[in-house]
């Protein structure tokens, strides 16, 4: 469910979407290369990081919330970074940022576990 609190505008969301798609492609290609080359299973753990970054980027774009800006109590609605004076809104954004990060970590763990499940 989308939070009514947002801290990034359309251009900023597009940047995060592009970052997410790029990281997802990098993670998928890395996983494919490792499985295809019969690399040791534990080497597949490295896909955790690009998948985590991909999930962060895509979730931030979807939720319209940047976790770094939320941590600083700022927003960027495509006209530069501005401080948010409403403490209630800052709290909502930080809560949304925590949810985004948790979901991104869970996504990366699940995808990495699937990659580890493929036989050598």
């Amino acid at each position: 469910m989308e939070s009514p609190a947002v801290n990034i505008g359309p251009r900023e969301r597009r940047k995060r979407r592009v970052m997410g798609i790029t990281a997802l492609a990098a993670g998928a290609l890395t996983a494919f290369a490792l499985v295809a080359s019969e690399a040791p299973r534990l080497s597949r753990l490295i896909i955790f990081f690009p998948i985590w970054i991909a999930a962060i980027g895509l979730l931030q774009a979807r939720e319209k919330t940047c976790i770094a800006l939320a941590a600083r109590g700022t927003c960027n609605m495509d006209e530069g970074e501005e401080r948010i004076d409403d403490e209630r809104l800052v709290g909502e954004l930080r809560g949304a940022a925590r949810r985004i990060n948790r979901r991104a970590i869970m996504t990366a763990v699940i995808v990495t576990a699937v990659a580890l499940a493929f036989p050598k």
Side-chain angles (χ1 to χ4, degrees):
M1 185 167 101
E2 183 182 309
S3 169
V6 299
N7 70 353
I8 52 176
R11 189 173 43 231
E12 293 298 313
R13 290 194 304 272
R14 191 172 26 261
K15 287 179 188 177
R16 283 149 184 85
R17 192 174 303 111
V18 168
M19 175 192 69
I21 291 169
T22 303
L24 181 60
L29 289 172
T30 301
F32 177 77
L34 291 169
V35 171
S37 68
E38 297 182 0
R41 277 192 174 159
L42 287 181
S43 66
R44 299 177 200 169
L45 289 173
I46 65 170
I47 70 162
F48 176 88
F49 296 104
I51 299 301
W52 175 53
I53 296 300
I56 284 176
L58 294 170
L59 289 168
Q60 287 181 121
R62 188 179 84 192
E63 300 295 325
K64 302 174 186 169
T65 302
C66 172
I67 59 177
L69 293 174
R72 292 193 300 266
T74 60
C75 68
N76 185 341
M77 303 310 283
D78 298 334
E79 296 180 13
E81 197 169 320
E82 298 176 19
R83 186 132 211 64
I84 300 171
D85 295 325
D86 182 351
E87 287 303 316
R88 181 195 56 77
L89 178 57
V90 170
E92 286 180 30
L93 288 167
R94 288 181 178 157
R98 284 190 297 275
R99 286 189 300 278
I100 289 168
N101 200 30
R102 275 195 307 268
R103 289 193 335 231
I105 289 170
M106 288 188 305
T107 300
V109 166
I110 291 167
V111 171
T112 302
V114 168
L116 288 171
F118 280 93
K120 187 173 181 183

